[in-house]
Amino acid sequence: MRQIAIVGYPNVGKSSLINRLTGRREAVVHERPGVTRDRKHMAAEWNGREFELVDTGGVDALDPDPMASEILGQVRAALTTAALVVFVVDAKAGVRPGDEELADILRRWDGPVIVAANKIDVAQDIPNAAEFHRLGLGEPMPVSAAQGLGTGDLMDRMVEELPEGDEDPDERDTLRLTIIGRPNVGKSTLFNRLVGDERVIVSDVAGTTRDAIDLPIEIDGRRVVIVDTAGMRRQAKVTESVEYYTVLRSQQAVERADVAIVVCDAADGVTSQDFRVAELAMKGGCATLIVLNKWDEHNLSDDDLAHERAKVQQKLRLRPRVLTASALTGRNVQRVIAEALALGDKRKGRIPTSQLNRFLAEALEAKQPPAIRGHRLKMLYISQVGEEPPRFAISVNDRNRVVRDYAYFIENRLRARFGLDGIPVIIDFNERNTRRSEVGYGARPPRPPLPPRD
């Protein structure tokens, strides 16, 4: 899919404009400059053409903050894959030195550039766009991300300038992997290691990532979208509005994912907050994998690992696997990605009915359902009725005799038998429509009445 990079000085309204163009509130918007730092890919469509908008951090070459150079590096990287650039400027502020510096970079870039003069909220302000002719990048287009003024004309121009080709592959075959966890546990380092590129900024400062960063890649011939998310702190510690919206984006990323890789710091083990993050993924219907990052850096023993795995098995109903890795050195990272892909396939797969009923017979032989007031539950038949996540239906003689402990027993045996650890499993206990007691044991149901004679 063709990419359109959205670039500009800090706080000119790039993320607001992207939200307007996509019709979704996906990019984090805040009055504070510098909220966007990494590249974020968002799908868009206009007049039958599909493309990706790439949101980038605000570029200010004179900013003494060391992260400013990282943001500039992210913008330069976005230019290497973009087919078109939309250069967003602030029409209210006029041309600033930062605009001229970025324009100098874009004049040397080999591709079409559209200048979008933003914050023209009323028609009387349209002449203000003319000042940006001096940047030497062609006719500026007046737009208002807040009011929508001129955005349709901007989309028309974008589609007109966008080269043809590179249509998107079938989305049904795409697997979405989301990397989630507490702040500063190494999520962005793992993300960069998985994609083989410095696609997101890594810093010792907790909270560097502020948005859910989507990156489509190809692994062993299959299309995978890997999403890096902002660190998720306890709700009581989320004090700033910008942090609230970054956490919200992380939650939305989980809801759209097939597999969630929950990254933990091996020095801390799996903490109570890590368990809350994993439970969020499970509630969203994700298959879940827990990764203890920085394992080799802390020289932890096999007994420590066994303790963490036992703790996860005890506290998380989905019983996800616990793997160790080092995002910094790359140790075991390929194992993590292979396990995540296998989980995604199982979440989408189907189990033959014959295998399921053999499993049910073996489970009943291992442990009979408890008798309630002298009557025992009978489980007659099982089949899979849905995927993503897998859903099963078991035919029983009386739903009122299904007790929670026995339902959990069946669920856990099902996970163990078919390798569904870490995958949400839904089991419906459906009561059969006709009971023998209603027509007498061994008796036939009454025949339907004969049609009247002529």
Side-chain angles (χ1 to χ4, degrees):
M1 189 184 294
R2 293 292 188 179
Q3 294 181 1
I4 301 176
I6 312 295
V7 304
Y9 196 74
N11 216 31
V12 295
K14 298 183 296 298
S15 297
S16 296
L17 182 60
I18 282 185
N19 286 339
R20 174 67 67 174
L21 298 181
T22 61
R24 303 185 300 274
R25 292 181 59 85
E26 288 196 17
V28 175
V29 176
H30 198 272
E31 61 188 14
R32 179 193 305 174
V35 169
T36 302
R37 292 171 175 173
D38 301 294
R39 284 172 282 168
K40 178 176 173 63
H41 296 240
M42 284 161 285
E45 182 271 337
W46 187 255
N47 290 341
R49 287 294 304 276
E50 294 183 351
F51 46 89
E52 278 186 341
L53 299 179
V54 183
D55 193 12
T56 63
V59 177
D60 184 358
L62 300 180
D63 190 342
D65 188 341
M67 201 164 289
S69 61
E70 296 279 359
I71 294 172
L72 179 58
Q74 290 292 306
V75 172
R76 289 185 183 276
L79 295 180
T80 63
T81 58
L84 170 68
V85 169
V86 175
F87 180 19
V88 184
V89 294
D90 188 338
K92 288 184 177 179
V95 177
R96 293 178 288 190
D99 296 327
E100 293 176 337
E101 292 164 0
L102 190 50
D104 183 58
I105 294 173
L106 294 177
R107 281 194 297 269
R108 287 178 275 133
W109 179 68
D110 185 21
V113 178
I114 301 172
V115 178
N118 191 28
K119 303 186 182 180
I120 295 181
D121 298 330
V122 293
Q124 293 90 321
D125 294 337
I126 291 178
N128 294 344
E131 181 182 357
F132 295 93
H133 275 287
R134 58 189 274 194
L135 298 177
L137 293 170
E139 180 76 24
M141 298 198 66
V143 297
S144 170
Q147 307 298 328
L149 178 69
T151 53
D153 293 336
L154 175 61
M155 293 283 269
D156 287 340
R157 174 91 178 274
M158 289 162 56
V159 169
E160 180 183 331
E161 298 279 358
L162 195 64
E164 296 285 344
D166 287 348
E167 295 301 320
D168 193 35
D170 192 344
E171 284 291 330
R172 291 174 299 178
D173 296 330
T174 300
L175 193 69
R176 293 186 65 89
L177 307 182
T178 297
I179 302 174
I180 60 174
R182 294 180 292 121
N184 220 29
V185 294
K187 297 184 300 300
S188 294
T189 304
L190 179 61
F191 180 89
N192 286 336
R193 178 67 63 175
L194 291 175
V195 303
D197 188 14
E198 296 298 320
R199 298 303 297 254
V200 295
I201 298 171
V202 176
S203 171
D204 291 334
V205 179
T208 299
T209 303
R210 286 180 168 166
D211 214 332
I213 313 301
D214 296 42
L215 182 65
I217 63 173
E218 195 169 280
I219 300 176
D220 295 333
R222 67 183 302 177
R223 190 171 188 266
V224 178
V225 176
I226 299 183
V227 185
D228 185 24
T229 62
M232 303 178 71
R233 298 202 293 170
R234 288 205 312 266
Q235 196 67 28
K237 291 191 175 183
V238 179
T239 55
E240 301 182 16
S241 60
V242 63
E243 189 174 3
Y244 168 79
Y245 285 110
T246 61
V247 172
L248 184 62
R249 294 296 187 274
S250 297
Q251 293 173 346
Q252 292 172 342
V254 166
E255 291 170 358
R256 294 183 292 115
D258 298 306
V259 180
I261 301 174
V262 181
V263 182
C264 312
D265 191 324
D268 303 326
V270 186
T271 68
S272 58
Q273 178 62 9
D274 295 327
F275 282 121
R276 279 189 282 268
V277 172
E279 286 168 353
L280 173 70
M282 296 170 187
K283 289 179 181 177
C286 280
T288 306
L289 176 66
I290 293 179
V291 175
L292 291 169
N293 190 29
K294 312 177 189 178
W295 186 260
D296 53 352
E297 300 172 35
H298 300 292
N299 297 318
L300 300 178
S301 67
D302 290 342
D303 289 340
D304 295 326
L305 177 57
H307 173 72
E308 296 302 323
R309 285 176 170 163
K311 191 163 60 173
V312 168
Q313 290 285 310
Q314 180 184 9
K315 294 194 175 184
L316 294 179
R317 179 176 166 184
L318 265 61
R319 301 187 175 186
R321 291 196 65 189
V322 179
L323 300 182
T324 61
S326 172
L328 189 62
T329 65
R331 181 181 176 184
N332 288 345
V333 168
Q334 289 304 315
R335 182 186 174 197
V336 168
I337 191 69
E339 180 69 19
L341 294 178
L343 280 175
D345 289 339
K346 287 181 180 178
R347 180 179 177 272
K348 295 184 176 185
R350 292 191 70 90
I351 302 172
T353 301
S354 58
Q355 294 183 25
L356 287 172
N357 280 286
R358 279 198 296 270
F359 150 77
L360 185 61
E362 292 169 3
L364 290 170
E365 185 177 350
K367 182 179 180 179
Q368 282 289 319
I372 300 177
R373 293 188 295 274
H375 297 283
R376 193 178 299 276
L377 173 72
K378 292 183 180 179
M379 308 177 75
L380 310 171
Y381 183 84
I382 181 173
S383 62
Q384 185 172 351
V385 295
E387 313 92 16
E388 302 185 60
R391 187 174 197 134
F392 303 91
I394 299 179
S395 177
V396 299
N397 62 334
D398 189 348
R399 287 185 58 188
N400 294 326
R401 298 177 191 169
V402 179
V403 296
R404 178 178 298 181
D405 288 346
Y406 195 77
Y408 284 166
F409 165 76
I410 293 294
E411 179 182 325
N412 292 334
R413 294 281 293 216
L414 188 67
R415 290 187 194 284
R417 174 65 177 273
F418 297 106
L420 299 177
D421 286 343
I423 299 174
V425 169
I426 304 169
I427 301 178
D428 299 320
F429 294 90
N430 298 329
E431 190 171 321
R432 62 182 180 181
N433 294 329
T434 304
R435 302 184 192 176
R436 289 192 175 187
S437 59
E438 293 174 358
V439 295
Y441 181 78
R444 296 179 179 177
R447 293 180 179 179
L450 295 174
R453 295 181 179 179
D454 293 335

